[in-house]
């Protein structure tokens, strides 16, 4: 799936300060409708608390410091797991894209492992690591590994061979060829991998934290469920959504900075 | 003494100077032309891909600085010959030799596709052409000079994707020229351009060739382009050079002149008769 997405890469990208306002209209409208529906009793608060109640719960948790601590723990797990899995995936992608030998040695194995849903490993991971930090890091890293590996590999393999030949003709050394031709050529595809990986990163973390954790946003949600604090449950979900959006925006900004040459990023 | 001469022969002195100045300039321009090109000798050159014998013994001598065009029907091995000359492909038998020891920077190829790095600005793309001199301190100024030569100095900070096809091809030409090559091989460099852009690119090619005096080898589908630019047109057939036609028309050549038209006609009839036989 990640391979197909990279084909449709050229996206239009508009100026952020216009887009930045427009894209919030719909979420804000939904919240407003939701609030009205709660106040009028259309939606019972036992099913879905009013946004104002969710905000209030968030404020209380913020004052107690619990919210910040849990967000920080989740953020730390997500980014550390992402860095570990992402770097290993990137390294394998590079190695297998550049070296036939390396590809023959490891690609089939990796493709086989890829077909195991990494969340299916949770029972095993709990047996191995308990509900330790390393369990979450392992799962996130494993989930993030494949999109980055596959897209890095794909990016390197699909660099225009005519450009590579051009580089050779003009006397580029292997290092230069990589730096000036292969890596920049693979970068759009690598970014597709990163965006995919970010989605998987949050998904994995939510699941792992709800099942096996003693801190973090997922844990906070599970605790709240036990005490029937539905406003906190909804709050956790919203924060997950916000963090996911934040990560996506960060990757877009990075993409825009490094791919300014790409026709898709030159239109205003 | 000069003053004495001048006072004694004011008229002749002035006229002879007036006559001299342009000739002197021409000589100065042609001096590098005589030294920078490399002669090229090809002996019994053969190349096959599997069972497909593409070149079956090419013998050819190209004097330094000559402009040679190669024509032939599609698939006859023109690109293959060019790639062998440029050292991009392994030679099966025979040999290609240049009159001198050559550095990689001495031989450059230009393809139908500009092959610019989309992620490098125009100027950095030209700098790529410097080969090992890319890191030298005058890389920038040399690249800028080459860009000026092709008339694109104002596009130096542009991304290639924002250039027109003809402009891209001019950047590719600047990249090929920047290392002052002694042999420049063109594989249908203008094939993808529209008719007007083509003609202005042909003029540009002729001008830089005259200024720099490299040995030029142009593969083209367009016989009128071949006779307009080249000193000599080679027709490849059945893996050999079937015809070797000298084009003696004086430069600058007038497009569509009767002389060029009749040459074009006779080369075309060679090509077509070969086509009828197969
Ligand atoms: N790398 C290759 N592997 C196998 N066969 C090849 C290869 N390159 C060229 N050929 C074959 O060699 C023959 C000559 O090809 P070449 O590209 O030199 O033709 P050409 O004269 O340049 O044709 P065109 O005018 O269409 O560009 C063709 O039959 C082609 O199929
Ligand atoms: Mg060809």
């Amino acid at each position: 799936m990640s391979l197909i997405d990279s084909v449709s890469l050229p996206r239009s990208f508009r100026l952020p300060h216009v887009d930045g306002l427009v894209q919030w209209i719909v979420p804000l409208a939904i919240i407003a409708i939701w609030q009205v529906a709660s106040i009028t009793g259309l939606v019972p608060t036992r099913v879905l608390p009013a946004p104002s109640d969710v905000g209030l719960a968030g404020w209380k948790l913020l004052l107690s410091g619990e919210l910040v601590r849990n967000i920080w723990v989740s953020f730390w797990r997500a980014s550390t797991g992402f860095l570990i899995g992402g770097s290993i995936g990137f390294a394998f992608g590079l190695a297998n894209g550049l070296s036939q030998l390396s590809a023959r040695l490891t690609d089939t194995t990796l493709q086989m492992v890829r077909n195991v849903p990494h969340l299916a490993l949770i029972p095993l991971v709990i047996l191995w690591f308990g509900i330790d930090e390393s369990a979450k890091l392992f799962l996130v890293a494993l989930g993030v590994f494949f999109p980055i590996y596959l897209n890095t590999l794909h990016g390197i393999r699909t660099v225009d061979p005519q450009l590579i030949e051009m580089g050779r003709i003009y006397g580029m050394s292997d290092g230069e060829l990589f730096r000036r031709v292969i890596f920049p050529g693979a970068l759009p595809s690598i970014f597709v991998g990163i965006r995919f990986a970010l989605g998987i990163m949050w998904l994995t973390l939510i699941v792992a934290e709800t099942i096996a954790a003693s801190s973090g946003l997922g844990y906070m949600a599970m605790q709240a469920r036990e005490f029937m604090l539905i406003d906190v449950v909804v709050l956790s979900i919203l924060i997950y959504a916000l963090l996911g959006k934040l990560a996506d925006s960060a990757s877009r900004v990075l993409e825009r900075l490094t791919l300014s040459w790409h026709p898709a990023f030159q239109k205003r | 003494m000069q003053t004495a001469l001048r006072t004694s022969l004011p008229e002749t002195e002035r006229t002879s100077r007036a006559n001299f100045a342009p000739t002197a300039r021409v000589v100065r321009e042609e001096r590098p032309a005589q030294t920078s090109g490399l002669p090229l000798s090809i002996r019994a050159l053969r190349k096959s891909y599997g069972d497909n014998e593409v070149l079956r013994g090419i013998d050819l001598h190209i004097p330094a600085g000559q402009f040679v065009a190669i024509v032939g029907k599609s698939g006859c091995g023109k690109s293959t010959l060019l790639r062998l000359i440029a050292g991009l492909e392994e030679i099966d038998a025979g040999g290609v030799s240049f009159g001198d020891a050559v550095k990689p920077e001495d031989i450059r190829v230009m393809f139908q596709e500009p092959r610019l790095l989309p992620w490098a600005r125009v100027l950095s793309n030209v700098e790529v052409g410097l080969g090992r001199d890319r890191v030298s301190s005058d890389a920038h100024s040399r690249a800028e000079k080459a860009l000026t030569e092709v008339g694109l100095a104002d596009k130096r900070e542009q991304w290639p994707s924002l250039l027109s096809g003809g402009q891209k091809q001019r950047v590719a030409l600047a990249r090929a020229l920047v290392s002052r090559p002694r042999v420049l091989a063109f594989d249908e460099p203008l094939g993808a351009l529209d008719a007007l852009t083509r003609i202005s690119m042909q003029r540009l090619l002729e001008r830089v060739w005259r200024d720099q005096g490299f040995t030029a080898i142009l593969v083209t589908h367009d016989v009128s382009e071949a006779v307009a630019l080249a000193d000599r047109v080679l027709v490849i057939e059945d893996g050999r050079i079937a015809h070797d036609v000298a084009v003696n028309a004086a430069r600058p050549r007038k497009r569509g002149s009767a002389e060029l038209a009749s040459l074009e006609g006779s080369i075309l009839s060679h090509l077509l008769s070969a086509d009828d036989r197969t």
Side-chain angles (χ1 to χ4, degrees), chain B residues 74-80 82-83 112 187-188 219 221:
Chain B
S74 184
C76 71
K78 304 182 295 290
S79 299
T80 306
L82 210 70
R83 295 174 65 83
Q112 179 167 354
D187 195 352
E188 298 182 42
V219 165
H221 269 132

Side-chain angles (χ1 to χ4, degrees), chain A:
Chain A
M1 56 172 180
S2 42
L3 295 185
I4 291 164
D5 194 76
S6 67
V7 176
S8 60
L9 181 84
R11 288 170 237 106
S12 65
F13 200 95
R14 276 170 224 99
L15 284 182
H17 64 264
V18 181
D19 233 21
L21 295 180
V22 173
Q23 65 188 347
W24 292 110
I25 291 177
V26 173
L28 287 176
I30 290 175
I31 289 177
I33 294 169
W34 172 12
Q35 178 77 40
V36 170
S38 295
I39 289 171
T40 55
L42 208 65
V43 178
T45 45
R46 279 180 41 245
V47 176
L48 197 61
S52 53
D53 291 342
V54 174
L56 209 65
W59 181 246
K60 278 190 206 141
L61 286 171
L62 194 67
L63 288 185
S64 72
E66 212 179 320
L67 186 63
V68 175
R69 193 169 48 81
N70 281 322
I71 289 181
W72 171 249
V73 166
S74 291
F75 176 77
W76 181 85
R77 283 173 188 152
S79 48
T80 311
F82 183 88
L83 279 181
I84 295 172
S87 339
I88 300 175
F90 181 65
F92 269 102
L94 283 191
N96 291 0
L98 296 172
S99 150
Q100 284 292 328
L101 180 69
S102 169
R104 246 182 261 139
L105 214 57
T106 60
D107 190 54
T108 315
T109 315
L110 290 174
Q111 298 291 350
M112 264 155 50
V113 177
R114 182 171 77 100
N115 288 311
V116 179
H118 67 296
L119 291 177
L121 295 181
I122 287 182
L124 192 61
V125 170
I126 293 179
L127 282 178
W128 285 345
F129 301 103
I131 57 166
D132 206 19
E133 282 313 293
S134 35
K136 268 82 74 185
L137 293 187
F138 178 83
L139 281 171
V140 171
L142 189 66
V144 155
F145 173 89
F146 286 104
I148 297 215
Y149 165 70
L150 288 174
N151 284 286
T152 305
L153 181 65
H154 171 74
I156 287 182
R157 287 206 172 145
T158 52
V159 172
D160 186 354
Q162 293 189 334
L163 285 183
I164 295 178
E165 188 185 60
M166 184 280 297
R168 288 250 155 77
I169 295 173
Y170 283 106
M172 289 188 188
S173 62
D174 285 352
E176 240 180 326
L177 200 65
F178 177 74
R179 199 161 42 78
R180 301 181 72 132
V181 182
I182 297 173
F183 181 69
L187 206 54
S189 177
I190 293 174
F191 268 111
V192 171
I194 289 178
R195 304 259 305 271
F196 257 98
L198 286 175
I200 291 181
M201 169 185 88
W202 288 117
L203 179 77
T204 312
L205 195 65
I206 297 165
V207 175
E209 281 186 347
T210 41
I211 293 174
S214 54
S215 60
L217 281 170
Y219 170 76
M220 191 173 92
M222 282 317 279
Q223 284 292 97
R225 183 195 59 95
E226 272 180 28
F227 298 109
M228 301 294 279
L229 300 171
I230 194 163
D231 46 359
V232 178
V233 173
V234 173
L235 178 74
S236 316
I237 294 171
L238 287 182
I239 292 175
Y240 267 128
L242 223 60
L243 285 178
K245 169 75 187 145
L246 216 64
D248 193 60
S249 302
S251 81
R252 272 172 191 264
V253 167
L254 203 65
E255 197 173 18
R256 208 152 50 92
L257 288 178
T258 48
L259 299 185
S260 51
W261 55 269
H262 201 288
F265 295 90
Q266 284 159 2
K267 287 174 220 124
R268 6 182 51 241

Side-chain angles (χ1 to χ4, degrees), chain B residues 124-270:
Chain B
S124 337
N125 262 297
V126 177
E127 278 172 36
V128 166
L130 287 167
R132 286 167 298 181
D133 289 345
R134 264 190 294 275
V135 287
S136 74
S137 56
D138 62 346
H140 251 57
S141 61
R142 286 173 70 184
E144 248 159 62
K145 213 170 131 241
L147 260 186
T148 312
E149 256 166 287
V150 300
L152 283 181
D154 56 326
K155 300 281 187 206
R156 41 174 296 182
E157 291 304 323
Q158 194 73 275
W159 294 118
S161 62
L162 299 177
L163 301 179
S164 72
Q167 288 172 332
K168 283 183 194 158
Q169 215 42 312
R170 268 146 76 193
V171 175
L173 178 63
R175 180 180 62 192
L177 290 174
V178 70
S179 64
R180 296 274 148 180
R182 303 174 70 185
V183 175
L184 196 45
F186 303 95
D187 195 352
E188 298 182 42
L190 315 182
L193 303 179
D194 64 89
L196 274 179
T197 316
R198 237 180 129 94
I199 289 173
S200 79
M201 277 295 285
Q202 287 170 4
R203 292 202 176 125
L204 178 62
L205 281 189
E206 187 174 21
R207 202 195 74 218
V208 294
W209 168 72
R210 276 159 70 99
D211 287 351
Q212 303 197 5
F214 48 80
T215 306
I217 305 165
L218 170 74
V219 165
T220 177
H221 269 132
D222 180 351
V223 180
S224 72
E225 178 172 290
V227 295
L229 290 175
D231 297 321
R232 180 179 174 196
V233 180
L234 305 175
V235 181
I236 296 191
E237 245 175 62
D238 303 324
R240 294 189 186 81
I241 293 175
H243 302 280
D244 187 339
V245 184
V247 186
N248 295 319
R251 292 175 199 270
R253 289 181 183 161
K254 249 189 74 190
R255 310 198 132 263
S257 75
E259 187 184 4
L260 294 184
S262 76
L263 255 177
E264 183 185 338
S266 75
I267 293 171
L268 269 176
S269 66
H270 284 318

